[in-house]
Amino acid sequence: MTEKKAFSSLEYLFKPRSVAIIGASNNSSKIGFKVVDNIIASGYKGNIYPINPKGGELLGLKVFKSIEDVDDNIDLATICIPADYVLEGIQSCAVKNTKFLSIITSGFSEIGKLKEEEEIVNYAHQHGMRVLGPNIFGIFSAKCPINATFGNKYIEQGSVAIVTQSGALGIAMIGKTDTEGIGLSAIVSVGNKSDLDEADLIEYLVEDEETKVIVLYIEGLKEGEKLVKVLRNVTRRKPVIIIKSGRSKRGAMAAASHTGSLAGADNVFEDVISRQVGGLRALSVQEALNWAKFIAVQKELPKGENAVIVTNGGGIGVLATDACESYNVSLYDNREVLKTIFDPVTPSFGSTKNPVDITGQASSDFYEKAIQAAIDSPDIHSIICLGCETGIFNASELNTVVQNKYLNIFPKKPLVFSFFGGADFETGLFTLKGKGVPIYSDVYEAVSCLGAYYKHYRNMIYAEDHDIGHKEPIIDIEEIQVVIDEVRKDNRHFLLVPEAMRVMEAAGIPIPKSFVCKDLKETIYYAEEIIGYPVVLKIVSKDIIHKSDAGGVALNLENRNELIDAYEAIFNSAYKFKPDAKITGVEIVKMIKKKDAVETIIGARVDNTFGPTVMFGLGGIYVEVLKDVAFRAVPLTRSEASNMIKQIRSYPLLLGVRGEDPKDIDGCVEVILRLAKIIQLCSDISDIEINPVLAFAQNKGVLAIDTRILLKSQSSEVK
Ligand code: ACO
């Protein structure tokens, strides 16, 4: 990229003192009209400069024939002229020291015109301008306020900030947030993300006092590593709710063609963004808005994780209990304390266990007392209030409960409602939702809000724990580079077994003792004098990568006779497989008894989206079928590596089942951290995979049995 002039902070994007609209039009069906109309309607107090070569007047404002005629510097220029004229348009903006360009115009990288887009960004950067878009609907910021979008005219102000890659969905979200009673501190469309992206914006929004919750809609990431770095810090301070489309393979293809950028593989995205750096990942836009609304109204973090369900029906109580498990909400179960709290407010035939069942005869009075008891108790930290329509408890009672317990006395604890019933109930729900009450007909929707909030709570409470006890492993990077240089000299992109072993040794990863022998005599010597039977023989040839496929591996050789037979057999098979193969010798290694160990797989690779990443999973031959693996971005801490191991479904195998000893999980953590270090420091390496890494009993260590290392192709290095 060409040299940049210094940039301003994003303050003037969100709080511009002056705004120019390039392509302002008197034609009310054009975007250039709508943007000016919206800016005026939003009550913007700064200077507005509509620009159009025809001049004249627009909505009571003087129209300038050129931005050069404006006697002012411009903080924000909104561009709504056709793509072919945009470069010329922004060249004129540079004359007025414009700080930010909001390029609404479509027709750039999303339709393959990458060069044109790059040209615009380069020009902007050379002149100290930053670019939002192109292909966006604009920006609304409650700070001024300013609505420089061509979306809805009136936007309710509040504390939720939305950053969206999809313009159409973004405009729809403005309407939806209005219906749901969610006020916005900002909504910004990032479109093609040619310059400013979601990471830049959330770095600003985390410092913005008005913003309590940030919502991101992402289709594809261009700079995953940057987002990870920013989210690591931001999620420890503010909740970031993320909707990422393209979860399915088909969805990912649609997203890629829609935005012109590739959607990252979803499992890596999920593990890195949600599990490693604390993003609150919602499955749908509706779920994201439910969470945003709920979290935005909370006054302070809960004092703990004891949740209680208050219900008039056993069925929805059980459903809510299931939902709590799904969303990681922990139900308080000290029965004695629960009895003390709820006995005075529960009928004798109800239940004070959690769910607290105030029974089908409960009127609003019962609800009020039960909720009040929960609010008053220091042992209870959050409340899920449920109700089914009954002959006694009807729609008007629902309103009384919510008005008295939510709207009149705003709760000091997180309180979420789910009420289920007929048409009157639904109307009541709709009205209350519009007043900002977190109330849903489905218990899962209600509980998911609390689940998301508790995830945020844990991000905040345990933020520092991630870094405790983390010591960077020391690896001999120079020795690894020597090996790589040798492989490069030999014009290869893969390492032979002895080379991979040297890398493992240099990284301090335990490997079985192995030697490469030139002939049978030497092989017998190593088997009998150095290693001891049983042993394994493997053919060593740079022409044969998959040794097993070529019959180049012989296992469990117990004595000299077996060794001699196997030696001849693997040579014969290898030559049959590839007659012109150059065979350097055989590798001899101790046969390891796998039965006392769990086979794991540990890998590291450079991901297209997130850069260097590591993988841990259940290893062995079924790894592709079971796909029981977890991913993390590099760098990662010891506790992140340990959480990654806990995440796999087979984790109980590592803890030891049916009386087995627990396995050496610390040893696995160490291998993960060392591979992370290699992939982070050796820019030549693209993939490392060790399968299996045998995890023996606790404190008995781990062994990397089979290691494959690939180098980046020279072309990707240049890139
Ligand atoms: N400086 C100032 N004004 C200019 C210039 C210039 N250099 N060049 C042209 N104009 C004027 C035009 O004369 C016209 O004014 P007029 O109505 O008085 O004649 C006005 O600017 C607009 O130019 P038009 O050629 O009429 O362009 P039009 O308004 O039809 O389209 C637009 C421009 C909207 C930018 C179009 O090219 C486009 O990209 N549309 C798609 C926008 C979009 O969807 N963005 C993504 C949003 S997100 C989502 O999906 C919802």
Side-chain angles (χ1 to χ4, degrees):
M1 197 174 280
T2 27
E3 208 189 321
K4 296 171 183 178
K5 260 178 78 174
F7 293 132
S8 320
S9 92
L10 296 196
E11 186 69 18
Y12 292 123
L13 173 66
F14 286 86
K15 212 176 166 186
R17 294 159 296 187
S18 54
V19 55
I21 304 91
I22 317 293
S25 170
N26 258 303
N27 180 339
S28 63
S29 66
K30 290 197 182 179
I31 288 179
F33 173 90
K34 184 76 179 145
V35 173
V36 179
D37 196 22
N38 279 356
I39 294 173
I40 295 170
S42 59
Y44 176 64
K45 300 283 187 305
N47 299 323
I48 309 172
Y49 302 112
I51 313 291
N52 186 306
K54 292 174 191 158
E57 215 183 87
L58 168 59
L59 296 165
L61 295 169
K62 175 182 175 182
V63 176
F64 293 79
K65 291 188 176 172
S66 160
I67 193 168
E68 285 154 33
D69 300 338
V70 174
D71 186 19
D72 198 355
N73 286 330
I74 305 294
D75 283 343
L76 174 66
T78 298
I79 313 286
C80 15
I81 51 177
D84 287 346
Y85 307 104
V86 169
L87 182 59
E88 195 186 311
I90 71 161
Q91 283 166 345
S92 65
C93 291
V95 180
K96 289 291 153 188
N97 292 324
T98 302
K99 291 185 168 52
F100 294 96
L101 300 163
S102 164
I103 307 181
I104 288 180
T105 313
S106 301
F108 291 94
S109 65
E110 82 281 6
I111 57 158
K113 295 199 168 178
L114 284 126
K115 230 180 77 216
E116 288 80 350
E117 191 168 293
E118 214 175 280
E119 208 175 350
I120 283 169
V121 176
N122 283 343
Y123 185 87
H125 283 184
Q126 282 160 18
H127 295 84
M129 300 185 279
R130 300 222 59 183
V131 179
L132 196 60
N135 190 28
I136 59 172
F137 66 73
I139 174 169
F140 160 79
S141 167
K143 269 200 174 305
C144 284
I146 180 167
N147 178 5
T149 76
F150 66 93
N152 302 25
K153 193 176 247 180
Y154 299 104
I155 301 178
E156 184 65 32
Q157 294 180 28
S159 54
V160 175
I162 299 177
V163 177
T164 169
Q165 189 170 357
S166 164
L169 205 54
I171 292 179
M173 277 197 262
I174 298 178
K176 189 71 184 164
T177 48
D178 187 42
T179 326
E180 295 271 348
I182 302 171
L184 300 180
S185 58
I187 180 161
V188 191
S189 168
V190 286
N192 295 0
K193 300 190 270 193
S194 65
D195 174 16
L196 292 170
D197 64 10
E198 47 280 280
D200 297 309
L201 296 168
I202 57 180
E203 253 187 323
Y204 169 82
L205 291 166
V206 73
E207 304 296 341
D208 174 37
E209 278 175 16
E210 277 85 48
T211 299
K212 280 185 74 180
V213 182
I214 301 166
V215 178
L216 303 183
Y217 172 82
I218 299 173
E219 286 174 355
L221 282 181
K222 281 184 168 173
E223 295 187 67
E225 280 178 87
K226 179 174 158 193
L227 183 65
V228 166
K229 203 166 158 203
V230 171
L231 280 179
R232 256 181 208 282
N233 297 320
V234 172
T235 59
R236 295 173 178 200
R237 297 174 57 195
K238 280 186 188 173
V240 182
I241 298 167
I242 299 168
I243 319 141
K244 161 77 169 58
S245 61
R247 292 174 83 95
S248 62
K249 279 189 189 146
R250 237 191 133 78
M253 277 161 61
S257 55
H258 180 51
T259 61
S261 64
L262 277 175
D266 195 67
N267 44 2
V268 183
F269 185 95
E270 171 69 24
D271 283 358
V272 172
I273 296 295
S274 176
R275 295 178 192 263
Q276 186 175 2
V277 296
L280 312 179
R281 187 154 184 211
L283 288 179
S284 65
V285 177
Q286 183 62 59
E287 188 170 65
L289 296 182
N290 289 349
W291 295 357
K293 173 176 173 170
F294 179 68
I295 298 174
V297 295
Q298 302 305 321
K299 293 247 185 306
E300 57 186 46
L301 279 182
K303 300 277 182 289
E305 297 214 28
N306 294 342
V308 73
I309 298 170
V310 174
T311 179
N312 70 348
I316 45 166
V318 178
L319 278 172
T321 307
D322 292 345
C324 285
E325 201 171 296
S326 299
Y327 291 105
N328 214 359
V329 172
S330 83
L331 289 174
Y332 185 50
D333 60 5
N334 186 324
R335 291 191 181 178
E336 268 175 45
V337 177
L338 283 164
K339 194 166 163 44
T340 315
I341 300 167
F342 292 107
D343 228 15
V345 295
T346 310
S348 56
F349 44 90
S351 169
T352 60
K353 291 177 206 157
N354 198 359
V356 176
D357 189 347
I358 53 175
T359 81
Q361 81 162 40
S363 59
S364 66
D365 196 35
F366 280 80
Y367 270 105
E368 280 195 57
K369 285 182 179 148
I371 295 173
Q372 193 58 54
I375 288 174
D376 291 343
S377 164
D379 295 303
I380 291 171
H381 307 124
S382 56
I383 307 147
I384 301 160
C385 179
L386 313 175
C388 280
E389 187 171 18
T390 66
I392 293 166
F393 186 76
N394 54 31
S396 67
E397 297 252 327
L398 161 67
N399 278 297
T400 315
V401 170
V402 177
Q403 298 275 353
N404 290 351
K405 278 288 156 249
Y406 197 87
L407 294 174
N408 295 348
I409 2 164
F410 191 87
K412 294 190 192 86
K413 294 178 182 175
L415 169 58
V416 65
F417 297 92
S418 170
F419 285 92
F420 192 70
D424 288 349
F425 246 58
E426 290 292 326
T427 317
L429 284 174
F430 202 71
T431 319
L432 290 164
K433 266 188 176 186
K435 290 180 181 167
V437 179
I439 185 164
Y440 308 93
S441 50
D442 189 275
V443 289
Y444 274 80
E445 271 188 281
V447 174
S448 83
C449 293
L450 201 54
Y453 191 41
Y454 269 123
K455 184 169 177 195
H456 166 59
Y457 164 87
R458 286 176 215 120
N459 284 343
M460 304 283 283
I461 298 289
Y462 305 119
E464 304 313 322
D465 288 6
H466 275 305
D467 310 327
I468 290 173
H470 181 67
K471 267 199 258 136
E472 288 286 320
I474 296 166
I475 65 172
D476 186 349
I477 202 72
E478 280 164 18
E479 165 67 5
I480 296 175
Q481 197 54 51
V482 168
V483 178
I484 291 169
D485 291 344
E486 286 171 18
V487 178
R488 287 278 193 222
K489 250 188 225 152
D490 203 22
N491 272 331
R492 275 182 285 125
H493 289 126
F494 61 90
L495 273 66
L496 296 174
V497 173
E499 293 161 343
M501 293 300 182
R502 274 172 69 193
V503 172
M504 292 294 99
E505 273 183 328
I509 295 172
I511 49 171
K513 269 194 187 147
S514 102
F515 302 92
V516 176
C517 309
K518 291 190 296 295
D519 53 30
L520 180 60
K521 195 170 153 216
E522 202 179 0
T523 312
I524 293 172
Y525 167 77
Y526 275 104
E528 297 183 355
E529 303 299 325
I530 309 286
I531 298 177
Y533 293 109
V535 294
V536 174
L537 294 188
K538 298 178 193 174
I539 208 85
V540 179
S541 166
K542 63 182 174 187
D543 300 317
I544 300 173
I545 302 175
H546 300 288
K547 297 176 290 294
S548 299
D549 297 351
V553 180
L555 303 170
N556 208 17
L557 309 172
E558 302 267 9
N559 51 47
R560 186 181 288 196
N561 287 345
E562 285 185 18
L563 182 85
I564 294 170
D565 289 349
Y567 186 89
E568 283 169 9
I570 60 171
F571 265 81
N572 289 340
S573 308
Y575 280 129
K576 210 164 150 190
F577 182 79
K578 201 161 194 320
D580 59 344
K582 281 201 187 78
I583 297 177
T584 331
V586 289
E587 183 200 354
I588 181 164
V589 58
K590 179 87 182 160
M591 176 79 201
I592 308 291
K593 288 197 188 106
K594 289 185 187 172
K595 74 175 178 39
D596 301 329
V598 169
E599 292 187 59
T600 66
I601 180 169
I602 304 181
R605 59 183 284 273
V606 181
D607 183 82
N608 283 341
T609 306
F610 293 105
T613 52
V614 281
M615 179 188 80
F616 174 83
L618 189 69
I621 54 173
Y622 300 122
V623 66
E624 310 239 313
V625 180
L626 298 172
K627 291 194 169 69
D628 190 11
V629 290
F631 299 89
R632 293 294 183 271
V634 172
L636 80 166
T637 62
R638 192 161 290 272
S639 85
E640 285 170 348
S642 160
N643 284 339
M644 178 182 183
I645 294 174
K646 289 182 193 148
Q647 181 191 323
I648 66 165
R649 295 190 305 281
S650 316
Y651 178 59
L653 291 181
L654 290 163
L655 293 177
V657 285
R658 295 182 177 233
E660 284 175 354
D661 288 331
K663 302 298 179 265
D664 204 323
I665 294 170
D666 287 346
C668 295
V669 167
E670 202 57 44
V671 176
I672 294 171
L673 293 175
R674 285 172 189 274
L675 283 201
K677 204 81 199 163
I678 301 177
I679 202 83
Q680 188 186 1
L681 297 181
C682 299
S683 55
D684 272 291
I685 295 179
S686 68
D687 292 79
I688 311 174
E689 186 182 293
I690 321 176
N691 185 20
V693 174
L694 295 180
F696 296 99
Q698 203 166 13
N699 302 323
K700 293 268 159 54
V702 296
L703 267 187
I705 300 296
D706 201 352
T707 305
R708 272 204 266 168
I709 301 179
L710 300 179
L711 302 186
K712 286 178 190 162
S713 65
Q714 300 286 355
S715 54
S716 65
E717 279 168 342
V718 171
K719 190 179 94 180

